[in-house]
Amino acid sequence: MSQHDQKIDKELFRIVGVQNEEAEKLSNKSVSFWKEVFLRFSQNKLAIIGLIVLMAVILMAIFVPVFSQYNYREQLGVYNAAPSLSHWFGTDDLGRDVFVRVWEGARISLFIGITAAVIDLIIGVLWGSISGLAGGRVDNIMMRIADVLTAVPYLLVVIVLLVVLQPGLVPMIIALSITGWINMARIVRGEVLSIKNQEYVLAARTLGANTKHLIIRHLIPNALGAILVTMTLTVPSAIFTESFLSYLGLGVPAPTASWGTMASEGNNAITNAPWRLLFPALFISLTIFAFNAVGDGLRDALDPKLRK
Amino acid sequence: MAKKLVEIKNLKQYFGSPSNPIKAVDGISFDIYEGETLGLVGESGCGKSTTGRSIIRLYDITGGEVLFNGENVHDKKSGKDLKKFNREMQMIFQDPYASLNPRMTAGEIIAEGFIIHGLYKNKKERQEKITSLLEAVGLNKEHANRYAHEFSGGQRQRIGIARALSLDPSFIIADEPISALDVSIQAQVVNLLKQIQKDRGLTYLFIAHDLSMVKYISDRIAVMYSGKIVEVGPADDIYNSPVHPYTKSLLSAIPLPDPISETKRTRIPYTHEEQDETASFHPVNDKHFVYGTEKSFQKWMNNTSI
Amino acid sequence: MSETILKVKDLKINFKTYAGIVQAVRGVNFELNVGETLAIVGESGSGKSVTSNALMKLIPQPPGIYESGEILFNGRDLIPLSDKEMTKVRGNDIAMIFQDPMTSLNPTMKIGRQITEVILKHKKVTRSDAKNRAIELLTQVGIPMPEKRYNQYPHEFSGGMRQRVVIAIALAADPKLLIADEPTTALDVTIQAQILELMKEIQKKSNTSIIFITHDLGVVANIADRVAVMYAGQIVEYGTVNEIFYNPKHPYTWGLLGSMPDLDNKSDELLRTIPGSPPDLIHPPKGDAFAPRNEFAMAIDYEKEPPMFQVSETHFAKTWLLHPDAPEIPIPDAVARRIEGFLAKEDQVNG
């Protein structure tokens, strides 16, 4: 080997030993778990697009109805007008501006979706964590109740409920939550079951921790990721279900506009005024896509298998 | 003779249905003396980890007694009594990855016991205590704000040790604390455990399957097989003159870093002989005991050269 | 000198990760002769498993990158081979045994079918011939009542028995090279001893070459003919098993040998340890990667990477301590004493 022949300064062959200050040094800058999740999320293009779309839809839903020159129930006397500079998305058969109605509808749809998700969250987390923590017979009974609820045909329950309660916002949310929480409860239970046998939970128990301490310090922080993902994915499914029920005529009553009712009415005019179906349908799809992209992105960002 | 710190009397831990239970621990008795290290060895599934977890009340025991300083541990019902006991007895876990909460910093992990017991409420005092614990395990105060995943396996295990030390216990159960670590890191952790034992006068129950490490760290060794302790005695006796055929088989299987002797190794196979209800501990000498029936014991003694 | 079956030249493997490029294997060279066992020892992250997976081309790409090097199996380079060509090599020429016998068997398939499938894929035989061969293999790996066991599912086997089945599957197509990645780490010592005996017996019978990946020096001493010690993605010492255990030259090897207690260790002395932890392979240190943990590190170790110095015809070590200008450093006391102890015991026995 040629390197042997190279003359090396003899001075270099003095023993300097271990460089102690290096030995326990941590190389990288400290990054908290959530910061790392954020970094990973921000590298996911689809998720970022989804997030931007979502922000845009929310901002539009907040501001368009406030600042627009039209009101969503105002009849302007121009019927089924095609999209134009004065009416960007056209008007409907009663002469109302579709652009304003779409964003008014966004408010209703998002409100329904988010409220349903929050209700699912509260019931699901409570149910799932009690079931998972208690274990044994309690767990068995609680999960069988959930099973029975899922076994009842969903649409039938909703239709009966809406017929009895008269269509409206509150019955719609009740209808969505009646079985919606079960998915959340199952996921939380699964998380709790796996976390409660982790050695760090056992360690806390040997330190003398009570149940409250375990839940606040260990179970919630570690189940938060899964809960967040499930919640982000509940919103679009609630929006979709609302639209679907409204489309069947079981939605919020006129003149309130939700995307579902607008699409339903627009369906009748599909030949002469296709924009009345097109725009609400477009925004239903767009919003559902955005929520799903964000939820998937979150899931990937949280997935411990990708962590080094 | 030193004082008995922990006495385990006929401890039973069954799992599953009461009609057909899995007998993970099936009536074992042993004592741990103050200041010693008792090694508990056996193969996976023999009940050694269950024993440790039963002693520290992670499971509700099926039968028997665990006495700590003469007080029955599993009797204590009031929260105050339990907390007092928690401060005396702590545990070090096997998996350096699963034993630290990934959402907490090293400082938060070490301080968890302080929060539970309402100790060192003054912020500065708490910081100082955390720093001194980190230093005791060879880390420093900069590490307090780092998250668990930023540390290497050996460093994580040392954080786990610092957590176990945080309440100043007198007795620590180390449940396979080194088996998930690399060889060079194992030595670091074992040295650290010996060092803090000397500094703080700790008593250890050291659970492991690595016999050479157990021999090195323990004063006495208990060998466990299928939920029962089959042989217990001073570490040297167990290694140099084992009596129970299972201990002999186990010892004959340990590979040594010595190629020439490895080429000549003969493994002693073990076939389990069920012992009937007359089985009990028979003394080989005043510190070395073997579990079995009178007849088996005589047979084993005849096969042993002491 | 026997014939070489495998020659690895300057193998470099990188992984693209979120944090940067990890240089997992940084220029590995070794040779394996027919019928020999090479043990690759190292700690986690040393690159030993990546190296063994690379030989089977099992590195997923991406994130893995075969940066450079050749893997010559019977003279043919495996790196440029397509996936389809590799499937012929796998099983047939080279077979692998993994660490965890619980996950390397398919739980929904009977043991017998898992073995015959491999036989049928690689050999032109009838179904009944394959079955006979499978039962023969089960007998060979020491499974009692092979006819009955043939029709059982993996969950009906204990851990040690499962690892025997895994070995039977690996042997099904008569591979010339067997790569075993920590095959006994998940097993109890008594089972480990049985599996090691089995592997040696198989090797004797069919002259198979074995690459054995492990972190356990006792196991290495038991099974290896030749040993490669890996650290930070490189082989730092390479030699026959006796050379590595009785005449180690690299300070990392000293550290490994010293950190393991033997049964005669006095318990009042502390174990020798290697301070610190292995380096970050995203930014490997300049010079000798082991220098920051080496009590005998010299100034040059922090500047220039050492070459492989030749100690004997078969023994190499990558440390500047072997340079003629370096000070003479004897093997640390504790390690030297142990080696003497072993050799003395030997003399005693030999009388």
Side-chain angles (χ1 to χ4, degrees):
Chain A
M1 274 179 243
S2 63
Q3 290 174 70
H4 282 241
D5 310 327
Q6 263 175 35
K7 205 68 199 144
I8 298 167
D9 187 0
K10 278 201 175 163
E11 170 57 14
L12 285 174
F13 288 101
R14 79 198 131 84
I15 304 271
V16 292
V18 178
Q19 293 198 336
N20 256 328
E21 64 274 27
E22 293 282 308
E24 295 291 351
K25 215 187 74 189
L26 297 175
S27 48
N28 301 323
K29 248 183 85 76
S30 177
V31 190
S32 84
F33 174 81
W34 289 107
K35 203 166 160 194
E36 221 181 304
V37 168
F38 173 76
L39 282 175
R40 209 173 303 122
F41 183 83
S42 63
Q43 290 193 335
N44 185 333
K45 280 198 197 89
L46 199 63
I48 289 294
I49 294 173
L51 195 63
I52 292 170
V53 170
L54 209 57
M55 297 313 281
V57 168
I58 291 171
L59 287 177
M60 293 293 271
I62 293 172
F63 293 112
V64 169
V66 179
F67 293 108
S68 172
Q69 51 180 318
Y70 309 114
N71 181 286
Y72 74 99
R73 43 203 300 187
E74 190 181 355
Q75 304 187 356
L76 302 162
V78 212
Y79 306 109
N80 282 340
S84 64
L85 275 179
S86 51
H87 300 290
W88 291 357
F89 292 178
T91 62
D92 66 6
D93 56 343
L94 295 173
R96 297 173 296 194
D97 183 72
V98 175
F99 185 68
V100 176
R101 282 183 69 78
V102 161
W103 296 113
E104 181 65 28
R107 285 181 163 194
I108 306 287
S109 289
L110 285 174
F111 175 76
I112 290 174
I114 291 169
T115 314
V118 170
I119 293 173
D120 286 359
L121 172 80
I122 295 167
I123 304 176
V125 167
L126 278 175
W127 195 275
S129 53
I130 292 171
S131 180
L133 263 183
R137 184 175 286 171
V138 178
D139 179 36
N140 239 325
I141 293 172
M142 289 179 84
M143 287 334 279
R144 290 304 80 77
I145 292 174
D147 288 348
V148 169
L149 273 177
T150 20
V152 178
Y154 174 65
L155 212 52
L156 210 68
V157 176
V158 172
I159 290 170
V160 168
L161 199 78
L162 290 175
V163 168
V164 173
L165 288 175
Q166 297 306 317
L169 262 186
V170 176
M172 178 60 79
I173 289 169
I174 295 176
L176 288 171
S177 309
I178 205 158
T179 53
W181 60 272
I182 293 171
N183 185 33
M184 178 65 89
R186 288 203 173 123
I187 283 167
V188 171
R189 174 178 172 269
E191 288 287 311
V192 167
L193 280 182
S194 82
I195 296 168
K196 80 169 181 183
N197 287 322
Q198 292 286 320
E199 286 186 346
Y200 57 81
V201 174
L202 299 182
R205 284 174 58 198
T206 64
L207 287 166
N210 56 22
T211 312
K212 189 178 137 211
H213 177 97
L214 293 182
I215 292 177
I216 293 174
R217 294 226 128 213
H218 297 291
L219 294 173
I220 292 181
N222 284 288
L224 199 58
I227 293 173
L228 210 64
V229 171
T230 314
M231 211 179 134
T232 336
L233 296 174
T234 313
V235 181
S237 89
I239 292 177
F240 179 80
T241 313
E242 183 276 331
S243 306
F244 168 68
L245 289 173
S246 298
Y247 193 82
L248 291 181
L250 296 164
V252 287
T256 321
S258 84
W259 286 340
T261 34
M262 288 177 71
S264 171
E265 288 163 10
N267 199 25
N268 303 325
I270 192 155
T271 44
N272 58 344
W275 51 88
R276 287 178 51 200
L277 175 60
L278 179 72
F279 288 109
L282 179 73
F283 283 99
I284 293 171
S285 317
L286 210 58
T287 309
I288 290 176
F289 154 76
F291 268 109
N292 280 323
V294 171
D296 283 348
L298 260 181
R299 182 176 14 218
D300 290 347
L302 286 161
D303 193 337
K305 270 176 278 178
L306 294 173
R307 291 173 68 81
K308 57 170 170 84
Chain B
M1 193 141 223
K3 181 178 142 230
K4 285 178 188 171
L5 185 68
V6 185
E7 294 166 70
I8 285 114
K9 295 185 173 163
N10 200 23
L11 178 70
K12 287 187 179 131
Q13 182 75 60
Y14 297 171
F15 295 110
S17 70
S19 54
N20 185 21
I22 296 158
K23 299 179 177 180
V25 177
D26 193 13
I28 61 170
S29 304
F30 59 92
D31 300 328
I32 303 169
Y33 297 97
E34 197 158 37
E36 78 164 346
T37 300
L38 177 70
L40 186 59
V41 293
E43 307 199 334
S44 49
C46 74
K48 57 188 192 301
S49 282
T50 309
T51 304
R53 290 182 176 190
S54 300
I55 293 174
I56 202 165
R57 285 187 57 117
L58 280 173
Y59 300 135
D60 289 322
I61 58 172
T62 313
E65 281 184 330
V66 176
L67 302 183
F68 183 83
N69 262 333
E71 281 178 81
N72 191 334
V73 168
H74 283 259
D75 260 0
K76 296 192 171 125
K77 288 289 179 270
S78 89
K80 212 179 122 203
D81 281 347
L82 276 180
K83 283 207 165 152
K84 193 183 95 199
F85 158 76
N86 285 323
R87 295 182 63 168
E88 288 295 328
M89 193 187 284
Q90 278 300 311
M91 192 155 188
I92 299 166
F93 291 86
Q94 170 174 9
D95 185 343
Y97 290 87
S99 63
L100 305 183
N101 185 338
R103 306 286 184 272
M104 284 160 82
T105 63
E108 285 168 349
I109 289 166
I110 293 170
E112 191 170 12
F114 304 158
I115 292 165
I116 293 167
H117 290 267
L119 303 170
Y120 310 108
K121 291 216 168 101
N122 176 314
K123 208 177 161 201
K124 200 178 146 233
E125 208 185 343
R126 183 172 288 181
Q127 280 309 325
E128 278 169 11
K129 187 71 189 168
I130 292 170
T131 306
S132 84
L133 282 163
L134 280 169
E135 281 166 0
V137 296
L139 298 170
N140 58 51
K141 71 165 186 270
E142 267 97 69
H143 292 115
N145 297 320
R146 298 303 197 109
Y147 285 88
H149 69 263
E150 299 176 54
F151 294 95
S152 67
Q155 288 171 325
R156 283 162 158 262
Q157 199 57 303
R158 283 186 274 158
I159 294 168
I161 293 173
R163 170 176 59 195
L165 293 176
S166 64
L167 298 174
D168 286 319
S170 52
F171 175 53
I172 290 185
I173 298 173
D175 185 4
E176 306 236 17
I178 53 165
S179 56
L181 303 174
D182 278 317
V183 191
S184 73
I185 309 297
Q186 285 187 355
Q188 286 176 12
V189 171
V190 165
N191 282 351
L192 174 67
L193 286 171
K194 288 198 98 141
Q195 191 62 47
I196 53 183
Q197 179 173 39
K198 218 165 95 192
D199 294 348
R200 296 167 185 244
L202 294 172
T203 305
Y204 286 146
L205 175 64
F206 190 92
I207 301 169
H209 66 269
D210 178 340
L211 291 109
S212 40
M213 217 35 124
V214 171
K215 155 78 169 36
Y216 170 70
I217 200 170
S218 308
D219 301 303
R220 289 190 307 134
I221 291 174
V223 182
M224 207 164 166
Y225 181 82
S226 178
K228 288 206 157 61
I229 287 184
V230 295
E231 187 161 5
V232 60
D236 287 327
D237 285 14
I238 297 284
Y239 273 84
N240 299 330
S241 42
V243 174
H244 198 282
Y246 178 68
T247 314
K248 288 182 180 174
S249 164
L250 208 55
L251 284 168
S252 76
I254 311 171
L256 295 175
D258 179 5
I260 297 175
S261 78
E262 280 304 310
T263 56
K264 297 173 191 152
R265 154 176 314 286
T266 42
R267 182 174 53 84
I268 306 170
Y270 175 65
T271 28
H272 184 59
E273 296 165 38
E274 211 48 61
Q275 304 292 314
D276 61 29
E277 63 279 5
T278 65
S280 63
F281 274 109
H282 297 273
V284 178
N285 59 40
D286 61 334
K287 287 176 185 162
H288 182 177
F289 300 88
V290 182
Y291 182 84
T293 59
E294 186 62 46
K295 207 173 125 210
S296 308
F297 177 66
Q298 287 310 330
K299 189 177 83 190
W300 297 334
M301 285 302 281
N302 291 336
N303 291 335
T304 307
S305 52
I306 295 177
Chain C
M1 204 74 215
S2 57
E3 188 190 341
T4 306
I5 184 165
L6 181 77
K7 199 168 192 170
V8 174
K9 282 188 190 166
D10 194 35
L11 185 66
K12 284 186 185 158
I13 290 164
N14 295 345
F15 285 92
K16 234 185 182 148
T17 69
Y18 164 70
I21 289 181
V22 178
Q23 303 177 27
V25 176
R26 306 189 295 141
V28 158
N29 295 285
F30 64 83
E31 280 182 24
L32 181 65
N33 289 339
V34 173
E36 249 188 17
T37 301
L38 169 74
I40 303 182
V41 220
E43 301 181 77
S44 44
S46 63
K48 59 186 195 301
S49 285
V50 177
T51 305
S52 72
N53 285 339
L55 300 179
M56 281 284 254
K57 295 277 296 286
L58 288 176
I59 306 282
Q61 304 178 71
I65 304 159
Y66 286 84
E67 182 70 19
S68 80
E70 287 174 39
I71 300 168
L72 299 168
F73 181 78
N74 274 337
R76 179 165 74 142
D77 190 4
L78 300 183
I79 289 186
L81 293 193
S82 70
D83 244 10
K84 212 175 140 202
E85 289 169 302
M86 256 332 275
T87 48
K88 271 187 218 146
V89 175
R90 287 185 203 129
N92 214 358
D93 291 328
I94 310 179
M96 196 149 182
I97 304 168
F98 293 95
Q99 174 172 357
D100 191 353
M102 304 294 163
T103 55
S104 47
L105 290 173
N106 181 345
T108 64
M109 240 161 108
K110 286 178 180 166
I111 292 297
R113 236 191 96 202
Q114 301 195 40
I115 305 175
T116 47
E117 225 174 44
V118 180
I119 301 173
L120 290 169
K121 195 174 144 202
H122 293 287
K123 306 243 142 138
K124 288 192 184 81
V125 290
T126 63
R127 221 155 247 289
S128 68
D129 282 346
K131 185 180 173 177
N132 291 337
R133 171 80 180 127
I135 289 173
E136 198 184 301
L137 281 165
L138 287 173
T139 320
Q140 192 191 346
V141 297
I143 289 179
M145 294 183 290
E147 281 90 358
K148 190 179 150 223
R149 289 300 211 171
Y150 182 89
N151 283 318
Q152 287 185 332
Y153 288 95
H155 71 263
E156 299 172 72
F157 289 70
S158 68
M161 283 295 158
R162 264 183 245 195
Q163 197 61 303
R164 284 170 191 267
V165 173
V166 172
I167 293 174
I169 293 174
L171 294 176
D174 297 313
K176 297 174 195 77
L177 171 61
L178 201 58
I179 300 174
D181 188 358
E182 306 249 10
T184 60
T185 306
L187 305 174
D188 288 316
V189 266
T190 50
I191 313 293
Q192 165 174 288
Q194 293 170 28
I195 297 290
L196 294 177
E197 279 167 25
L198 172 66
M199 291 185 70
K200 283 191 278 193
E201 198 182 299
I202 288 163
Q203 179 170 48
K204 221 187 211 163
K205 230 183 254 165
S206 49
N207 211 24
T208 319
S209 309
I210 297 178
I211 292 181
F212 199 103
I213 315 288
T214 181
H215 66 272
D216 186 330
L217 291 168
V219 172
V220 175
N222 181 287
I223 200 160
D225 299 309
R226 232 171 264 271
V227 182
V229 181
M230 275 191 89
Y231 185 79
Q234 293 175 325
I235 292 178
V236 295
E237 186 159 6
Y238 180 76
T240 65
V241 68
N242 287 355
E243 282 166 339
I244 298 291
F245 281 89
Y246 301 132
N247 187 22
K249 290 293 181 196
H250 197 283
Y252 177 64
T253 316
W254 297 342
L256 280 185
L257 288 168
S259 59
M260 200 183 160
D262 60 66
L263 299 180
D264 304 319
N265 250 76
K266 288 286 160 292
S267 52
D268 47 353
E269 59 186 87
L270 288 182
L271 294 170
R272 277 182 56 81
T273 63
I274 307 174
S277 352
D280 168 11
L281 291 179
I282 295 176
H283 310 286
K286 199 181 157 204
D288 185 347
F290 184 59
R293 303 175 69 189
N294 180 4
E295 58 180 304
F296 309 111
M298 297 176 288
I300 189 168
D301 281 316
Y302 290 100
E303 290 186 11
K304 213 169 148 115
E305 194 182 313
M308 266 288 183
F309 287 94
Q310 187 156 18
V311 181
S312 76
E313 199 186 321
T314 49
H315 190 182
F316 302 84
K318 195 178 171 66
T319 168
W320 282 118
L321 289 176
L322 294 173
H323 192 277
D325 289 341
E328 192 85 17
I329 303 285
I331 299 179
D333 264 2
V335 182
R337 228 178 315 130
R338 172 166 329 158
I339 294 171
E340 269 165 41
F342 285 148
L343 295 173
K345 205 161 64 188
E346 212 44 49
D347 290 342
Q348 246 173 19
V349 175
N350 295 337

